[in-house]
Amino acid sequence: AEGDLGTEISKAPTLNGKMVLPVKAMSAGLKGHKVAAVYAILSSNFKRGSGEGWEHVQHIGITRDLANDLSYFLNEKGSGSVAHIRALSFSYPQKTTMEEFAN
């Protein structure tokens, strides 16, 4: 019967670059997905409702695998520096286009 596999296939998240999300929530949503994205990592000083948050950006990058990059930065910098993320996902990674967004 349908649904007997016991594993739910979830769709990779589509990110519009407008929302700032907690890294923990983003990591959970990315589990099992390779998502190409332009992203900005924000420190724990960012507070929801206090504007765009660009003054709290710790790192801006492009990646073919957002979950992998997030896990790397969390291990390197800790959750105080890597607390929130703003990301714009791409269905097909196009380095030039992604770099233009990152700049």
Side-chain angles (χ1 to χ4, degrees):
E2 277 185 57
D4 285 351
L5 295 174
T7 57
E8 186 183 321
I9 306 290
S10 63
K11 209 173 139 228
T14 303
L15 308 160
N16 66 9
K18 296 190 186 341
M19 285 179 60
V20 176
L21 298 166
V23 164
K24 283 182 182 157
M26 177 72 77
S27 296
L30 290 170
K31 200 171 278 310
H33 298 289
K34 259 184 121 169
V35 175
V38 175
Y39 64 94
I41 292 175
L42 289 76
S43 73
S44 56
N45 294 330
F46 171 78
K47 301 290 178 249
R48 271 184 136 24
S50 65
E52 296 279 310
W54 293 112
E55 65 277 13
H56 302 297
V57 169
Q58 301 294 304
H59 176 81
I60 292 178
I62 65 173
T63 184
R64 290 173 178 263
D65 186 351
L66 186 56
N68 189 47
D69 277 34
L70 276 182
S71 137
Y72 169 81
F73 282 110
L74 267 172
N75 289 334
E76 287 291 307
K77 307 280 185 202
S79 57
S81 294
V82 184
H84 304 277
I85 183 158
R86 178 192 298 263
L88 174 61
S89 59
F90 287 79
S91 345
Y92 303 99
Q94 297 168 318
K95 191 174 183 205
T96 313
T97 308
M98 291 167 75
E99 283 173 343
E100 285 171 13
F101 276 101
N103 294 330

